[in-house]
Amino acid sequence: QVQLVESGGGLVLPGGSLRLSCAASGLTFSNNAMGWFRQAPGKEREFVAFMSWSGGHTYYADSAKGRFTISKDNAKNTVYLQMNSLKPEDTAVYYCAVRGGVYRYIDAGQYNYWGQGTQVTVSS
């Protein structure tokens, strides 16, 4: 059974940083593509960041470029999202997602497995 567990969310001041983690069991990250998404109250879930199965290709939403970095540790079967220079508009529940395949996947409907989400609140 595949399970993804996010952690690392919390309350942070504007301009601050957080690192989200997503630990997987039941699958091997080295064989799967990974994505981070977020959903703010009253809004649809939106793409944030993507990493290919090899780790050699990453892709970011315009809102995340230059501020967020996706990475993974295959030995720990964990994917990370480092978020810097956080803004109030980054406030949302953040989800990690996993799927097999060799392409770039930025649509939530393309992912098979999801974590439960972790709340990120950016506020003074």
Side-chain angles (χ1 to χ4, degrees):
Q1 182 178 354
V2 175
Q3 188 174 18
L4 304 177
V5 179
E6 298 101 333
S7 61
L11 174 64
V12 63
L13 294 171
S17 298
L18 283 175
R19 188 177 80 156
L20 307 183
S21 299
C22 174
S25 58
L27 56 80
T28 304
F29 267 162
S30 60
N31 297 333
N32 288 274
M34 293 146 286
W36 283 96
F37 291 77
R38 67 186 183 186
Q39 188 166 18
K43 295 188 176 181
E44 294 187 353
R45 192 167 299 190
E46 66 174 4
F47 167 75
V48 176
F50 165 83
M51 174 170 276
S52 64
W53 67 273
S54 68
H57 176 63
T58 58
Y59 184 75
Y60 298 91
D62 287 343
S63 59
K65 286 178 183 176
R67 300 188 301 127
F68 294 3
T69 303
I70 186 171
S71 63
K72 67 173 180 172
D73 185 332
N74 286 336
K76 295 182 178 180
N77 232 24
T78 300
V79 63
Y80 304 98
L81 185 68
Q82 177 67 43
M83 305 187 295
N84 300 327
S85 303
L86 283 162
K87 306 174 182 179
E89 51 264 43
D90 294 318
T91 296
V93 177
Y94 283 71
Y95 300 88
C96 66
V98 174
R99 65 155 291 155
V102 299
Y103 300 107
R104 185 172 70 190
Y105 306 103
I106 62 173
D107 187 327
Q110 295 175 305
Y111 285 81
N112 306 114
Y113 303 106
W114 291 84
Q116 82 290 349
T118 185
Q119 176 70 47
V120 171
T121 303
V122 185
S123 175
S124 55

